[in-house]
Amino acid sequence: VNSRSEMLYGKKDIRFYEIISPFAVTDDLIKNNDVRVFLDHDSTQGTFARSKYGEGSLKLKVTDRGLEFSFDAPITAIGDVMIEGINRGDYDAMSFAFISNPEKEEITMNEDGTYNRTVNEILWLGEISVLSQAPAYEDTTVDVRSLNSFVENRNNEILTNLDSKLEEINSL
């Protein structure tokens, strides 16, 4: 949840960028909310995962980058639709439903006449959605990962970094 989105304010032609501070979500918020995962904000398709007051199939974690989450998709027809859609790239973004604390928001004007609205505190978090369409935050992503592929990717990353360091040392 550390992202920026361009929006129009009401019917006025005022462009602003909404920035969610990486510290807007806290562990206390997670422990006091019932958060569900949906496809395209559509609760009629079912709940894919849930964190009820910090416990459940949806794992929410506050990091220096913001809110991170993970869950095992249910082994159902609709769970398979989600996994297949993510693998094919049909579902490639994320969104979330929240209420921010207006008293903790910062609004600043940019040189081009647009504004930044920084959300520094989220009071309520109720939903995270995997999206196939128009996310408010273009920087969001969603991926299917397995433990084996995670370990393999991490090992490759470590080896690449080691190769780079060895080249640096050898060039001295």
Coordinates of all heavy atoms in Angstrom, one line a residue, residues 60-150:
L60 N -1.5 -10.5 6.6 CA -1.2 -9.1 6.4 C 0.1 -8.8 7.2 O 0.2 -9.2 8.4 CB -2.4 -8.3 6.9 CG -3.7 -8.5 6.2 CD1 -4.8 -7.8 6.9 CD2 -3.6 -8.1 4.7
K61 N 0.9 -8.0 6.6 CA 2.2 -7.7 7.2 C 2.6 -6.2 6.9 O 2.6 -5.8 5.8 CB 3.3 -8.6 6.7 CG 4.7 -8.4 7.4 CD 5.7 -9.4 6.8 CE 7.0 -9.1 7.4 NZ 8.0 -10.0 6.8
V62 N 2.9 -5.5 8.0 CA 3.3 -4.1 7.8 C 4.9 -4.1 7.7 O 5.5 -4.7 8.5 CB 2.9 -3.2 9.0 CG1 3.5 -1.8 8.9 CG2 1.4 -3.2 9.2
T63 N 5.4 -3.5 6.6 CA 6.8 -3.4 6.4 C 7.2 -2.0 6.1 O 6.3 -1.1 6.1 CB 7.2 -4.3 5.1 OG1 6.7 -3.6 3.9 CG2 6.7 -5.7 5.2
D64 N 8.5 -1.7 5.9 CA 8.9 -0.4 5.6 C 8.4 0.1 4.3 O 8.4 1.3 4.0 CB 10.5 -0.3 5.6 CG 11.1 -0.4 7.0 OD1 10.3 -0.2 8.0 OD2 12.2 -0.8 7.1
R65 N 8.0 -0.8 3.4 CA 7.5 -0.5 2.1 C 6.0 -0.2 2.1 O 5.4 0.3 1.2 CB 7.7 -1.6 1.1 CG 9.2 -1.7 0.8 CD 9.5 -2.8 -0.2 NE 8.4 -3.7 -0.5 CZ 8.4 -4.5 -1.5 NH1 9.4 -4.5 -2.3 NH2 7.4 -5.3 -1.7
G66 N 5.3 -0.7 3.2 CA 3.9 -0.5 3.3 C 3.2 -1.9 3.7 O 3.9 -2.7 4.2
L67 N 2.0 -2.0 3.4 CA 1.2 -3.2 3.7 C 1.6 -4.3 2.6 O 1.4 -4.0 1.4 CB -0.3 -3.0 3.7 CG -1.1 -4.2 3.9 CD1 -0.9 -4.8 5.3 CD2 -2.6 -3.9 3.7
E68 N 2.0 -5.5 3.1 CA 2.2 -6.6 2.2 C 1.2 -7.7 2.6 O 0.9 -7.8 3.8 CB 3.6 -7.1 2.2 CG 4.6 -6.0 1.7 CD 6.0 -6.5 1.7 OE1 6.3 -7.6 2.1 OE2 6.8 -5.7 1.2
F69 N 0.8 -8.5 1.7 CA -0.1 -9.6 2.1 C 0.2 -10.8 1.2 O 0.8 -10.8 0.2 CB -1.6 -9.2 1.9 CG -2.0 -9.0 0.5 CD1 -2.5 -10.0 -0.3 CD2 -1.7 -7.8 -0.1 CE1 -2.9 -9.8 -1.6 CE2 -2.1 -7.6 -1.5 CZ -2.7 -8.6 -2.2
S70 N -0.3 -12.0 1.7 CA -0.3 -13.2 1.0 C -1.4 -14.1 1.4 O -1.9 -13.9 2.5 CB 1.1 -13.9 1.2 OG 1.2 -14.3 2.5
F71 N -1.8 -15.0 0.6 CA -2.8 -16.0 0.9 C -2.7 -17.2 -0.1 O -2.2 -17.0 -1.1 CB -4.2 -15.4 0.9 CG -4.7 -14.9 -0.5 CD1 -5.4 -15.7 -1.3 CD2 -4.4 -13.6 -0.9 CE1 -5.8 -15.3 -2.6 CE2 -4.8 -13.2 -2.1 CZ -5.5 -14.0 -3.0
D72 N -3.2 -18.3 0.4 CA -3.3 -19.5 -0.5 C -4.7 -19.4 -1.1 O -5.7 -19.3 -0.4 CB -3.2 -20.8 0.3 CG -1.8 -21.0 0.8 OD1 -0.8 -20.5 0.2 OD2 -1.6 -21.6 1.9
A73 N -4.8 -19.4 -2.4 CA -6.1 -19.3 -3.1 C -6.8 -20.6 -2.8 O -6.2 -21.7 -2.6 CB -5.9 -19.2 -4.6
P74 N -8.2 -20.5 -2.6 CA -8.9 -21.7 -2.2 C -8.9 -22.7 -3.4 O -8.8 -22.3 -4.6 CB -10.3 -21.2 -2.0 CG -10.4 -19.9 -2.7 CD -9.0 -19.3 -2.7
I75 N -9.0 -24.0 -3.0 CA -9.0 -25.1 -4.0 C -10.5 -25.3 -4.4 O -11.1 -26.2 -4.0 CB -8.3 -26.3 -3.5 CG1 -6.9 -26.0 -3.0 CG2 -8.3 -27.4 -4.5 CD1 -6.2 -27.1 -2.3
T76 N -10.9 -24.3 -5.2 CA -12.3 -24.3 -5.7 C -12.3 -23.9 -7.2 O -11.2 -23.4 -7.7 CB -13.2 -23.4 -4.9 OG1 -12.7 -22.0 -5.1 CG2 -13.2 -23.7 -3.5
A77 N -13.4 -24.0 -7.9 CA -13.5 -23.5 -9.3 C -13.1 -22.1 -9.4 O -12.3 -21.7 -10.2 CB -14.8 -23.8 -9.9
I78 N -13.7 -21.2 -8.5 CA -13.4 -19.8 -8.6 C -11.9 -19.5 -8.2 O -11.3 -18.6 -8.7 CB -14.4 -19.0 -7.8 CG1 -14.4 -17.5 -8.2 CG2 -14.3 -19.2 -6.3 CD1 -14.8 -17.2 -9.6
G79 N -11.4 -20.3 -7.2 CA -10.0 -20.1 -6.9 C -9.1 -20.4 -8.1 O -8.1 -19.7 -8.3
D80 N -9.5 -21.5 -8.8 CA -8.7 -21.8 -10.0 C -8.8 -20.7 -11.1 O -7.9 -20.4 -11.8 CB -9.2 -23.1 -10.6 CG -8.9 -24.3 -9.8 OD1 -8.1 -24.2 -8.8 OD2 -9.5 -25.4 -10.0
V81 N -10.0 -20.1 -11.1 CA -10.2 -18.9 -12.1 C -9.2 -17.8 -11.7 O -8.5 -17.2 -12.6 CB -11.6 -18.4 -12.1 CG1 -11.8 -17.1 -12.7 CG2 -12.6 -19.4 -12.7
M82 N -9.1 -17.5 -10.4 CA -8.2 -16.5 -10.0 C -6.7 -16.8 -10.3 O -6.0 -16.0 -10.9 CB -8.3 -16.2 -8.5 CG -7.2 -15.2 -8.0 SD -7.2 -15.1 -6.2 CE -8.5 -14.0 -5.9
I83 N -6.3 -18.0 -10.0 CA -4.9 -18.4 -10.3 C -4.6 -18.4 -11.8 O -3.6 -17.9 -12.2 CB -4.6 -19.9 -9.7 CG1 -4.8 -19.9 -8.2 CG2 -3.3 -20.4 -10.1 CD1 -3.8 -19.0 -7.4
E84 N -5.5 -19.0 -12.6 CA -5.3 -19.0 -14.0 C -5.3 -17.6 -14.6 O -4.5 -17.3 -15.4 CB -6.4 -19.9 -14.7 CG -6.3 -20.0 -16.2 CD -5.0 -20.7 -16.7 OE1 -4.4 -21.4 -15.9 OE2 -4.6 -20.5 -17.8
G85 N -6.2 -16.8 -14.1 CA -6.3 -15.4 -14.6 C -5.0 -14.6 -14.2 O -4.5 -13.8 -15.0
I86 N -4.4 -14.8 -13.1 CA -3.2 -14.2 -12.7 C -2.0 -14.7 -13.5 O -1.2 -13.9 -14.1 CB -2.9 -14.4 -11.2 CG1 -3.9 -13.6 -10.3 CG2 -1.5 -13.9 -10.9 CD1 -3.8 -13.9 -8.9
N87 N -1.9 -16.0 -13.7 CA -0.9 -16.6 -14.5 C -0.9 -16.1 -15.9 O 0.1 -15.9 -16.6 CB -1.0 -18.1 -14.5 CG -0.4 -18.7 -13.2 OD1 0.5 -18.1 -12.5 ND2 -0.9 -19.8 -12.8
R88 N -2.1 -15.9 -16.5 CA -2.3 -15.5 -17.9 C -2.1 -14.0 -18.0 O -2.0 -13.5 -19.1 CB -3.6 -15.8 -18.4 CG -3.8 -17.3 -18.7 CD -5.2 -17.7 -19.1 NE -6.0 -16.6 -19.5 CZ -7.2 -16.8 -20.2 NH1 -7.6 -18.0 -20.5 NH2 -7.9 -15.7 -20.5
G89 N -2.1 -13.2 -16.9 CA -2.0 -11.8 -17.0 C -3.4 -11.1 -17.1 O -3.4 -9.9 -17.2
D90 N -4.5 -11.8 -17.0 CA -5.8 -11.2 -17.1 C -6.0 -10.4 -15.8 O -6.6 -9.3 -15.8 CB -6.9 -12.3 -17.2 CG -6.7 -13.1 -18.5 OD1 -6.2 -12.6 -19.4 OD2 -7.2 -14.2 -18.5
Y91 N -5.6 -10.9 -14.7 CA -5.6 -10.2 -13.4 C -4.2 -9.8 -13.1 O -3.3 -10.7 -12.9 CB -6.1 -11.1 -12.3 CG -7.6 -11.5 -12.5 CD1 -8.0 -12.7 -13.0 CD2 -8.6 -10.6 -12.1 CE1 -9.3 -13.0 -13.2 CE2 -9.9 -10.9 -12.3 CZ -10.3 -12.1 -12.8 OH -11.6 -12.4 -13.0
D92 N -3.9 -8.5 -13.1 CA -2.5 -8.1 -13.0 C -2.3 -6.9 -12.0 O -1.2 -6.3 -12.0 CB -1.9 -7.7 -14.3 CG -2.7 -6.6 -15.0 OD1 -3.7 -6.1 -14.5 OD2 -2.2 -6.2 -16.1
A93 N -3.3 -6.5 -11.3 CA -3.2 -5.4 -10.4 C -4.0 -5.6 -9.1 O -4.7 -6.6 -9.0 CB -3.7 -4.1 -11.1
M94 N -3.9 -4.7 -8.2 CA -4.5 -4.8 -6.9 C -5.3 -3.5 -6.6 O -4.9 -2.4 -7.1 CB -3.5 -5.1 -5.8 CG -2.7 -6.3 -5.9 SD -3.7 -7.8 -6.0 CE -4.6 -7.7 -4.4
S95 N -6.2 -3.6 -5.6 CA -6.9 -2.4 -5.1 C -7.3 -2.8 -3.7 O -7.2 -3.9 -3.3 CB -8.1 -2.1 -6.0 OG -8.8 -0.9 -5.5
F96 N -7.8 -1.8 -3.0 CA -8.2 -2.0 -1.6 C -9.2 -0.9 -1.2 O -9.3 0.1 -1.8 CB -7.0 -2.0 -0.6 CG -6.1 -0.8 -0.7 CD1 -6.3 0.2 0.2 CD2 -5.2 -0.6 -1.7 CE1 -5.5 1.4 0.2 CE2 -4.4 0.5 -1.8 CZ -4.6 1.5 -0.8
A97 N -10.1 -1.3 -0.3 CA -11.1 -0.4 0.2 C -10.7 0.0 1.6 O -10.4 -0.8 2.5 CB -12.5 -1.1 0.3
F98 N -10.6 1.3 1.8 CA -10.2 1.9 3.1 C -10.9 3.2 3.4 O -11.4 3.9 2.5 CB -8.7 2.0 3.1 CG -8.2 3.1 2.2 CD1 -7.9 4.4 2.7 CD2 -7.9 2.8 0.9 CE1 -7.4 5.4 1.8 CE2 -7.4 3.8 0.0 CZ -7.2 5.1 0.5
I99 N -10.8 3.6 4.6 CA -11.2 4.9 5.0 C -10.0 5.6 5.7 O -9.4 4.9 6.6 CB -12.4 4.9 6.0 CG1 -13.6 4.4 5.3 CG2 -12.7 6.3 6.6 CD1 -14.8 4.1 6.2
S100 N -9.6 6.7 5.3 CA -8.5 7.4 5.9 C -8.9 8.4 6.9 O -10.1 8.8 7.0 CB -7.6 8.1 4.8 OG -8.4 9.1 4.2
N101 N -7.9 8.8 7.7 CA -8.2 9.9 8.7 C -7.9 11.2 8.1 O -6.7 11.5 7.8 CB -7.3 9.7 9.9 CG -7.5 10.7 11.0 OD1 -8.2 11.7 10.8 ND2 -6.9 10.4 12.2
P102 N -8.9 12.1 7.8 CA -8.7 13.3 7.1 C -7.8 14.3 7.9 O -7.1 15.1 7.3 CB -10.1 13.9 6.9 CG -11.0 13.1 7.8 CD -10.3 11.8 8.1
E103 N -7.8 14.1 9.2 CA -7.0 15.0 10.0 C -5.5 14.7 9.9 O -4.6 15.5 10.3 CB -7.4 14.9 11.5 CG -8.8 15.4 11.7 CD -9.3 15.2 13.2 OE1 -8.5 14.7 14.0 OE2 -10.4 15.5 13.4
K104 N -5.1 13.5 9.4 CA -3.7 13.1 9.2 C -3.3 13.2 7.8 O -2.2 12.8 7.5 CB -3.5 11.7 9.7 CG -3.9 11.5 11.2 CD -2.8 12.0 12.1 CE -3.2 11.8 13.5 NZ -2.2 11.3 14.3
E105 N -4.1 13.7 6.9 CA -3.7 13.9 5.5 C -2.9 15.2 5.3 O -3.2 16.2 5.9 CB -5.0 13.9 4.6 CG -5.7 12.5 4.6 CD -6.9 12.5 3.8 OE1 -7.3 13.6 3.1 OE2 -7.6 11.5 3.7
E106 N -2.0 15.1 4.3 CA -1.3 16.3 3.9 C -1.6 16.6 2.5 O -1.6 15.7 1.6 CB 0.2 16.0 4.0 CG 0.7 15.8 5.5 CD 2.1 15.4 5.5 OE1 2.9 15.8 4.7 OE2 2.5 14.5 6.4
I107 N -1.9 17.9 2.2 CA -2.2 18.3 0.8 C -1.2 19.3 0.4 O -1.0 20.3 1.1 CB -3.6 18.8 0.6 CG1 -4.6 17.7 1.0 CG2 -3.8 19.3 -0.8 CD1 -6.0 18.0 0.9
T108 N -0.4 19.1 -0.7 CA 0.6 20.0 -1.2 C 0.3 20.3 -2.6 O -0.2 19.4 -3.3 CB 2.0 19.5 -0.9 OG1 2.1 18.2 -1.6 CG2 2.3 19.4 0.5
M109 N 0.7 21.4 -3.1 CA 0.6 21.8 -4.5 C 1.9 21.6 -5.3 O 3.0 21.9 -4.8 CB 0.2 23.3 -4.7 CG -0.1 23.7 -6.1 SD -0.5 25.4 -6.1 CE -1.8 25.5 -7.3
N110 N 1.8 21.0 -6.4 CA 3.0 20.8 -7.3 C 3.2 22.0 -8.2 O 2.2 22.8 -8.4 CB 2.8 19.5 -8.1 CG 2.7 18.3 -7.2 OD1 3.4 18.1 -6.3 ND2 1.7 17.4 -7.5
E111 N 4.3 22.1 -8.8 CA 4.6 23.2 -9.7 C 3.7 23.2 -10.9 O 3.4 24.3 -11.5 CB 6.1 23.1 -10.2 CG 7.1 23.4 -9.1 CD 8.5 23.4 -9.6 OE1 8.7 23.4 -10.8 OE2 9.4 23.3 -8.7
D112 N 3.2 22.1 -11.3 CA 2.3 22.1 -12.5 C 0.8 22.3 -12.2 O 0.0 22.2 -13.1 CB 2.4 20.7 -13.2 CG 2.0 19.5 -12.4 OD1 1.6 19.7 -11.2 OD2 2.1 18.4 -12.9
G113 N 0.6 22.7 -11.0 CA -0.8 23.0 -10.6 C -1.6 21.8 -10.1 O -2.7 22.0 -9.6
T114 N -1.0 20.7 -10.1 CA -1.7 19.5 -9.5 C -1.4 19.5 -8.0 O -0.6 20.2 -7.5 CB -1.2 18.2 -10.2 OG1 0.2 18.0 -9.9 CG2 -1.5 18.2 -11.7
Y115 N -2.1 18.6 -7.3 CA -1.9 18.5 -5.9 C -1.5 17.1 -5.5 O -1.8 16.1 -6.2 CB -3.2 18.8 -5.2 CG -3.6 20.3 -5.3 CD1 -4.4 20.6 -6.4 CD2 -3.3 21.2 -4.4 CE1 -4.8 22.0 -6.6 CE2 -3.6 22.5 -4.5 CZ -4.4 22.9 -5.6 OH -4.8 24.2 -5.8
N116 N -0.8 17.0 -4.4 CA -0.5 15.7 -3.8 C -1.4 15.6 -2.5 O -1.4 16.5 -1.7 CB 0.9 15.5 -3.3 CG 1.8 15.3 -4.5 OD1 1.4 14.9 -5.6 ND2 3.1 15.6 -4.3
R117 N -2.1 14.5 -2.4 CA -2.8 14.2 -1.1 C -2.2 13.0 -0.5 O -2.3 11.9 -1.1 CB -4.3 13.9 -1.4 CG -5.1 13.4 -0.2 CD -6.5 13.1 -0.7 NE -7.3 12.5 0.4 CZ -7.8 11.3 0.3 NH1 -7.7 10.5 -0.7 NH2 -8.4 10.8 1.4
T118 N -1.5 13.1 0.6 CA -0.8 12.0 1.2 C -1.7 11.5 2.4 O -2.0 12.2 3.3 CB 0.6 12.5 1.8 OG1 1.3 13.0 0.7 CG2 1.3 11.3 2.4
V119 N -2.0 10.2 2.3 CA -2.8 9.5 3.3 C -1.8 9.0 4.3 O -1.0 8.1 4.0 CB -3.7 8.4 2.7 CG1 -4.3 7.6 3.8 CG2 -4.7 9.0 1.8
N120 N -1.8 9.5 5.5 CA -0.8 9.1 6.6 C -1.4 8.1 7.6 O -0.6 7.5 8.3 CB -0.2 10.3 7.3 CG 0.7 11.1 6.4 OD1 1.6 10.5 5.8 ND2 0.4 12.3 6.2
E121 N -2.7 8.0 7.6 CA -3.3 7.1 8.6 C -4.6 6.5 8.0 O -5.5 7.2 7.6 CB -3.7 7.8 9.9 CG -4.3 6.8 10.9 CD -4.6 7.6 12.2 OE1 -4.6 8.8 12.3 OE2 -4.8 6.8 13.2
I122 N -4.7 5.2 8.0 CA -5.9 4.5 7.5 C -6.7 4.0 8.8 O -6.1 3.4 9.7 CB -5.6 3.3 6.6 CG1 -5.1 3.9 5.3 CG2 -6.8 2.4 6.3 CD1 -4.6 2.9 4.2
L123 N -7.9 4.4 8.9 CA -8.7 4.1 10.0 C -9.5 2.7 9.9 O -9.8 2.1 10.9 CB -9.8 5.2 10.3 CG -9.2 6.5 10.6 CD1 -10.3 7.6 10.6 CD2 -8.4 6.5 11.9
W124 N -9.8 2.4 8.6 CA -10.6 1.2 8.4 C -10.0 0.5 7.1 O -9.9 1.2 6.1 CB -12.1 1.5 8.3 CG -12.9 0.3 7.8 CD1 -13.4 -0.7 8.6 CD2 -13.3 0.0 6.5 NE1 -14.1 -1.6 7.8 CE2 -14.1 -1.2 6.5 CE3 -13.2 0.6 5.3 CZ2 -14.7 -1.8 5.4 CZ3 -13.7 0.1 4.1 CH2 -14.5 -1.1 4.2
L125 N -9.8 -0.8 7.1 CA -9.4 -1.5 5.9 C -10.3 -2.7 5.9 O -10.4 -3.5 6.8 CB -7.9 -2.0 6.1 CG -7.4 -2.8 4.9 CD1 -7.3 -2.0 3.6 CD2 -6.0 -3.3 5.3
G126 N -11.1 -2.8 4.8 CA -12.1 -3.8 4.7 C -11.9 -4.8 3.6 O -12.5 -5.9 3.6
E127 N -11.1 -4.5 2.6 CA -11.1 -5.4 1.4 C -9.8 -5.1 0.6 O -9.3 -4.0 0.5 CB -12.3 -5.1 0.5 CG -12.2 -5.7 -0.8 CD -13.0 -4.9 -1.9 OE1 -13.9 -4.1 -1.6 OE2 -12.6 -5.1 -3.0
I128 N -9.3 -6.2 0.1 CA -8.2 -6.2 -0.9 C -8.8 -7.0 -2.1 O -9.3 -8.0 -2.0 CB -7.0 -6.9 -0.3 CG1 -6.4 -6.1 0.9 CG2 -5.9 -7.0 -1.4 CD1 -5.3 -6.8 1.6
S129 N -8.6 -6.4 -3.3 CA -9.1 -7.0 -4.5 C -8.0 -7.2 -5.5 O -7.2 -6.4 -5.8 CB -10.2 -6.2 -5.2 OG -11.5 -6.5 -4.7
V130 N -8.1 -8.4 -6.2 CA -7.3 -8.7 -7.3 C -8.1 -8.2 -8.5 O -9.3 -8.5 -8.6 CB -7.1 -10.3 -7.4 CG1 -6.3 -10.6 -8.7 CG2 -6.3 -10.8 -6.2
L131 N -7.4 -7.4 -9.4 CA -8.1 -6.7 -10.4 C -7.7 -7.1 -11.8 O -6.6 -7.4 -12.1 CB -7.9 -5.2 -10.3 CG -8.4 -4.5 -9.1 CD1 -8.1 -3.0 -9.2 CD2 -9.9 -4.7 -8.9
S132 N -8.7 -7.1 -12.7 CA -8.5 -7.2 -14.1 C -8.7 -5.9 -14.9 O -8.5 -5.8 -16.1 CB -9.5 -8.3 -14.7 OG -10.8 -7.8 -14.6
Q133 N -9.0 -4.9 -14.1 CA -9.4 -3.6 -14.8 C -9.0 -2.4 -13.9 O -8.9 -2.5 -12.7 CB -10.9 -3.5 -15.0 CG -11.7 -3.7 -13.7 CD -13.1 -4.0 -14.0 OE1 -13.6 -3.9 -15.1 NE2 -13.8 -4.3 -12.9
A134 N -8.6 -1.3 -14.6 CA -8.4 0.0 -14.1 C -8.1 0.2 -12.6 O -9.0 0.7 -11.9 CB -9.5 0.9 -14.5
P135 N -6.9 -0.2 -12.1 CA -6.7 0.0 -10.7 C -6.4 1.5 -10.4 O -5.9 2.2 -11.3 CB -5.4 -0.8 -10.4 CG -4.7 -0.8 -11.7 CD -5.8 -0.8 -12.8
A136 N -6.8 2.0 -9.3 CA -6.5 3.4 -8.9 C -5.0 3.6 -8.8 O -4.5 4.7 -9.0 CB -7.2 3.7 -7.6
Y137 N -4.3 2.6 -8.3 CA -2.9 2.7 -8.2 C -2.2 1.8 -9.2 O -2.1 0.6 -9.1 CB -2.5 2.2 -6.7 CG -3.2 3.1 -5.7 CD1 -4.4 2.7 -5.2 CD2 -2.6 4.3 -5.3 CE1 -5.0 3.5 -4.2 CE2 -3.3 5.1 -4.4 CZ -4.5 4.7 -3.9 OH -5.1 5.5 -3.0
E138 N -1.6 2.4 -10.2 CA -1.0 1.7 -11.4 C 0.2 0.9 -11.0 O 0.6 0.0 -11.6 CB -0.6 2.7 -12.5 CG -1.8 3.4 -13.1 CD -2.7 2.5 -14.0 OE1 -2.2 1.4 -14.4 OE2 -3.9 2.8 -14.1
D139 N 0.8 1.3 -9.8 CA 2.1 0.6 -9.4 C 1.8 -0.8 -8.8 O 2.7 -1.5 -8.4 CB 2.9 1.5 -8.5 CG 3.4 2.7 -9.1 OD1 3.5 2.7 -10.4 OD2 3.8 3.6 -8.4
T140 N 0.6 -1.1 -8.5 CA 0.3 -2.4 -7.8 C 0.5 -3.6 -8.8 O 0.3 -3.4 -10.0 CB -1.2 -2.4 -7.3 OG1 -2.1 -2.3 -8.4 CG2 -1.4 -1.2 -6.3
T141 N 0.8 -4.7 -8.2 CA 1.0 -5.9 -9.0 C 0.4 -7.1 -8.1 O 0.3 -7.0 -6.9 CB 2.5 -6.2 -9.3 OG1 3.2 -6.3 -8.1 CG2 3.1 -5.1 -10.1
V142 N 0.2 -8.2 -8.8 CA -0.2 -9.4 -8.2 C 0.5 -10.5 -8.9 O 0.7 -10.5 -10.1 CB -1.7 -9.6 -8.2 CG1 -2.3 -9.7 -9.6 CG2 -2.1 -10.8 -7.4
D143 N 1.0 -11.5 -8.2 CA 1.7 -12.7 -8.7 C 1.3 -13.9 -8.0 O 1.0 -13.9 -6.8 CB 3.2 -12.5 -8.6 CG 3.8 -11.4 -9.5 OD1 3.5 -11.4 -10.7 OD2 4.4 -10.5 -8.9
V144 N 1.4 -15.0 -8.7 CA 1.2 -16.3 -8.1 C 2.6 -16.8 -7.8 O 3.5 -16.8 -8.7 CB 0.5 -17.3 -9.1 CG1 0.5 -18.7 -8.5 CG2 -0.9 -16.8 -9.4
R145 N 2.8 -17.2 -6.6 CA 4.1 -17.7 -6.2 C 3.9 -19.0 -5.4 O 3.0 -19.2 -4.7 CB 4.8 -16.8 -5.3 CG 5.2 -15.5 -6.0 CD 5.9 -14.6 -5.0 NE 6.1 -13.3 -5.6 CZ 6.5 -12.2 -4.9 NH1 6.7 -12.3 -3.6 NH2 6.6 -11.1 -5.5
S146 N 4.9 -19.9 -5.6 CA 4.9 -21.1 -4.8 C 6.2 -21.0 -4.0 O 7.1 -20.3 -4.4 CB 4.9 -22.4 -5.7 OG 6.1 -22.5 -6.4
L147 N 6.3 -21.8 -2.9 CA 7.5 -21.7 -2.1 C 8.7 -22.1 -3.0 O 9.7 -21.5 -2.9 CB 7.3 -22.7 -0.9 CG 8.5 -22.7 0.0 CD1 8.8 -21.3 0.5 CD2 8.2 -23.6 1.2
N148 N 8.5 -23.2 -3.8 CA 9.7 -23.6 -4.6 C 10.1 -22.5 -5.6 O 11.3 -22.3 -5.7 CB 9.3 -24.9 -5.4 CG 9.1 -26.1 -4.5 OD1 9.6 -26.1 -3.4 ND2 8.4 -27.1 -5.0
S149 N 9.2 -21.9 -6.3 CA 9.6 -20.8 -7.2 C 10.2 -19.6 -6.4 O 11.1 -19.0 -6.9 CB 8.5 -20.4 -8.1 OG 7.5 -19.8 -7.4
F150 N 9.7 -19.3 -5.2 CA 10.2 -18.2 -4.4 C 11.7 -18.5 -4.1 O 12.6 -17.7 -4.2 CB 9.4 -18.0 -3.2 CG 10.0 -17.0 -2.2 CD1 9.9 -15.6 -2.5 CD2 10.7 -17.4 -1.1 CE1 10.5 -14.7 -1.6 CE2 11.3 -16.5 -0.3 CZ 11.2 -15.2 -0.5

